[in-house]
Amino acid sequence: MNANELPVVTRANPHYERLGGHAAVVALVEAFYRAMDTRADARTIRAMHEHDLAATKRVLVSYLTEWLGGPKDYSVQRGAPKLRRRHAPFAIDASARDAWMACMTQALEDTCGDAALRTELLAAFAKVAEAVRNLPSH
Ligand code: HEM
């Protein structure tokens, strides 16, 4: 491997690079929690989170970095994601899932100018959000 082969690294983590790397993931997470803090439809899920979101933001940046194909910081620090198990303490029904998706949709619209990438990422987020739902709809 020599310096001329750097583009190979880019192809190895296409979503992370397409989004814009670390700064873009930080901006996305900031916009996500800003949406959660301000949207009326997100009040219930905001109340599940800590008042001070600083630590939560750092963990989500780390998780999304790895999930998007970037550096594997999350699993080094926190082990296997096991998101279903980590969300088990929270009551996540369809409306909680939809509120999470509404925040992420807004965050992507606020920070990602690539409409095709937004669509791809939202489809992938929707699968994870459905996977962590642990209550039926009502
Ligand atoms: C479907 C609705 C969802 C709800 C209501 C929800 C709620 C929560 C809550 C309350 C926490 C704890 C945060 C804290 O301690 O301050 C958490 C942690 C977390 N959530 Fe979610 N979440 C949802 C979906 C998702 C999705 C779709 C993802 C990923 C794509 C995700 C990724 C994470 C991660 C990485 C953590 C931290 C896990 C750890 O401790 O290592 N969540 N979530």
Side-chain angles (χ1 to χ4, degrees), residues 33 45 48-50 53 56 59-60 63-64 67 74 78 81 83 86-87 90 92 96-97 100 125 128-130 132-133:
Y33 285 112
I45 63 168
M48 296 176 193
H49 290 75
E50 298 290 331
L53 291 171
T56 309
V59 176
L60 192 58
Y63 174 82
L64 291 181
W67 185 74
Y74 177 91
R78 299 185 72 77
L83 286 190
R86 290 188 200 268
H87 287 81
F90 310 110
I92 304 180
R97 174 201 65 198
W100 195 102
F125 277 127
V128 184
E130 173 58 18
V132 300
R133 182 170 63 81

Side-chain angles (χ1 to χ4, degrees), residues 12-13 16 61-79 81:
N13 53 24
Y16 183 71
V61 166
S62 164
Y63 174 82
L64 291 181
T65 296
E66 185 164 333
W67 185 74
L68 289 163
K72 295 191 186 309
D73 299 333
Y74 177 91
S75 45
V76 168
Q77 288 168 29
R78 299 185 72 77

